[in-house]
Amino acid sequence: MAYWLVKSEPFKYSWDQFVKDKQTFWDGVRNYQARNNLKAMQKGDEVFFYHSNEGLAIVGIAKVAKEFYQDPTTEDPNWVVVDLKPVKAFTKPVSLAEMKAEPSLANLALIRQGRLSVCPVTDAEWHTILEMGNMQ
């Protein structure tokens, strides 16, 4: 199993809306590195849901429900989506400031490549963030 992080601006698509929808396809990715990360996701992989722009925090955990396929919002074959479903909300969201202050997360892609909307998370980073959010 691999771990990932996806970003969403809460005013466009929030964790609460995601939970209400029960499942969604993750569309709108128009960066090749982020697209390649979508293509690498496997069914069952776990994903942090990060509120960007406002909130700036990891607020929940999702799971990959379906591996990549053509993005239905465009006819351009370069772009893909995956299906995600919510698993659990964080009892204590983990803010970007908290992650930046944690030395063991210095190489977290969210911090190193702040504009990347879909990024990998290492096993050690995943477990550190779960601890920070009181999820373990």
Side-chain angles (χ1 to χ4, degrees):
M1 178 185 342
Y3 300 110
W4 306 92
L5 180 143
V6 296
K7 293 175 165 184
S8 182
E9 297 174 17
F11 73 93
K12 287 186 180 175
Y13 195 74
S14 68
W15 172 260
D16 290 341
Q17 184 62 51
F18 182 38
V19 169
K20 199 178 292 184
D21 292 345
K22 296 187 173 73
Q23 184 164 314
T24 192
F25 58 86
W26 205 256
D27 67 327
V29 172
R30 298 296 182 265
N31 169 287
Y32 285 100
Q33 187 176 2
R35 186 266 329 255
N36 291 343
N37 289 335
L38 286 176
K39 284 185 166 186
M41 289 179 168
Q42 300 289 310
K43 187 174 182 179
D45 284 355
E46 293 186 313
V47 182
F48 284 139
F49 191 104
Y50 178 82
H51 275 170
S52 61
N53 286 353
E54 51 184 89
L56 299 176
I58 294 173
V59 295
I61 298 171
K63 201 169 263 222
V64 177
K66 183 178 178 182
E67 294 173 15
F68 82 91
Y69 57 96
Q70 169 68 41
D71 185 335
T73 67
T74 180
E75 292 183 23
D76 185 337
N78 287 312
W79 306 116
V80 301
V81 298
V82 296
D83 286 357
L84 297 177
K85 61 182 176 183
V87 174
K88 188 173 188 178
F90 266 64
T91 52
K92 176 193 167 298
V94 179
S95 72
L96 180 59
E98 290 172 298
M99 289 181 271
K100 285 182 173 180
E102 172 54 50
S104 67
L105 296 177
N107 289 320
L108 182 68
L110 175 67
I111 294 169
R112 283 187 303 102
Q113 295 178 282
R115 295 185 50 88
L116 193 61
S117 63
V118 180
C119 31
V121 176
T122 68
D123 187 65
E125 291 165 344
W126 182 267
H127 288 94
T128 297
I129 292 167
L130 287 179
E131 286 177 22
M132 291 171 73
N134 299 326
M135 298 292 283
Q136 286 190 322

